[in-house]
Amino acid sequence: MTRTVHLAGDSTAGPKSRAAAPETGWGMALPYYLDDAVAVANHARNGRSSRSFVAQGRLDAVARDLRAGDVLVIQFGHNDAKVEDPERYTEPWTSYTEHLARFVDVARAAGARPVLATSVERRRFDDAGRAVPAHGEYPGAMRALAAREDVPLVDVQRDSLALWHDLGPERTLHLFFHADDGRRDDTHFNPPGAGAVARLVATGLLTAGVLGSHEVRRLDEDVPDAWFRWLDDEPA
């Protein structure tokens, strides 16, 4: 029986158009690590925070698609921190966790399994070459909510920070969106970077017991660049 992993999040996870290539969301790579009996519905979109995703009716759309036995992976934080933008900003320990709790409630009401995923880290290093966290108190607030509400947690922030630290400043350049035309972006990914984060997510879903070993595959492989597909148009 096929079930679906739904993704609710921002541009780090979302699908991209051909015009944006080679920028790649990690959600585009996730199916490579899942069995064919597990579908992926990527509802993540550029620029969204937990607040704006709800306000724009996108959580309602996710709710209509959820079925019993499905999984809803919830990853917000990058845009929640934009204090200058009241339509997106949330305070970590109050409005952020309140909005996240709405996603949890929607999943549970549908008989689906909610999963909280901390935000993937940006590429930031100090002068000694150590990877530096960039998300302030948002990951901690999400961890506390997961513990309080007994929701599985995939700690992408922790795991990606450790990976960036192991790889170092130079090798991580090959994972982020540094294009030949001069575009430089230490938040978003190219195909190898999206694949690396998707593997962290798939591994986390397996470790948390959200997916079974028969539903996850190829965790020892990199996603081939030729496997990726971009949309013809910007996602609605």
Side-chain angles (χ1 to χ4, degrees), residues 127-191:
D127 291 341
R130 293 182 294 255
V132 176
H135 293 304
E137 297 188 28
Y138 289 91
M142 180 179 279
R143 293 181 190 113
L145 176 66
R148 186 167 65 248
E149 297 294 330
D150 193 25
V151 177
L153 177 77
V154 176
D155 206 338
V156 185
Q157 186 271 337
R158 177 199 66 194
D159 294 342
S160 59
L161 184 70
L163 180 58
W164 306 160
H165 180 76
D166 288 345
L167 293 173
E170 293 304 317
R171 292 172 67 191
T172 50
L173 282 172
H174 302 290
L175 301 181
F176 284 80
F177 181 48
H178 287 227
D180 293 339
D181 61 9
R183 288 176 288 176
R184 296 290 182 267
D185 186 336
D186 288 324
T187 296
H188 301 98
F189 306 104
N190 60 17

Side-chain angles (χ1 to χ4, degrees), residues 22-230:
E23 184 181 339
T24 313
W26 63 256
M28 296 166 62
L30 187 61
Y32 186 81
Y33 292 113
L34 304 183
D35 184 78
D36 290 337
V38 182
V40 174
N42 194 344
H43 304 273
R45 291 295 184 270
N46 292 358
R48 271 57 177 196
S49 71
S50 64
R51 179 188 295 277
S52 64
F53 196 96
V54 171
Q56 294 170 7
R58 292 186 174 275
L59 180 56
D60 293 335
V62 172
R64 289 192 291 270
D65 286 349
L66 286 171
R67 299 292 180 267
D70 285 352
V71 175
L72 175 59
V73 178
I74 306 150
Q75 186 186 76
F76 292 98
H78 281 84
N79 298 303
D80 286 79
K82 295 185 175 180
V83 65
E84 75 283 358
D85 186 348
E87 293 186 359
R88 291 189 287 182
Y89 174 68
T90 59
E91 193 280 328
W93 297 97
T94 55
S95 51
Y96 177 59
T97 54
E98 289 164 6
H99 280 86
L100 294 178
R102 294 182 65 173
F103 288 80
V104 171
D105 291 344
V106 162
R108 286 175 167 167
R113 188 99 181 259
V115 177
L116 291 166
T118 52
S119 293
V120 61
E121 268 298 349
R122 294 182 168 94
R123 179 184 170 274
R124 290 188 180 178
F125 292 86
D126 62 18
D127 291 341
R130 293 182 294 255
V132 176
H135 293 304
E137 297 188 28
Y138 289 91
M142 180 179 279
R143 293 181 190 113
L145 176 66
R148 186 167 65 248
E149 297 294 330
D150 193 25
V151 177
L153 177 77
V154 176
D155 206 338
V156 185
Q157 186 271 337
R158 177 199 66 194
D159 294 342
S160 59
L161 184 70
L163 180 58
W164 306 160
H165 180 76
D166 288 345
L167 293 173
E170 293 304 317
R171 292 172 67 191
T172 50
L173 282 172
H174 302 290
L175 301 181
F176 284 80
F177 181 48
H178 287 227
D180 293 339
D181 61 9
R183 288 176 288 176
R184 296 290 182 267
D185 186 336
D186 288 324
T187 296
H188 301 98
F189 306 104
N190 60 17
V197 178
R199 179 160 46 196
L200 295 179
V201 174
T203 301
L205 293 171
L206 176 64
T207 302
V210 176
L211 297 180
S213 58
H214 62 290
E215 296 176 300
V216 177
R217 61 182 177 179
R218 301 190 291 210
L219 292 177
D220 59 341
E221 298 181 18
D222 294 332
V223 185
D225 284 358
W227 181 87
F228 286 92
R229 296 291 181 272
W230 287 264

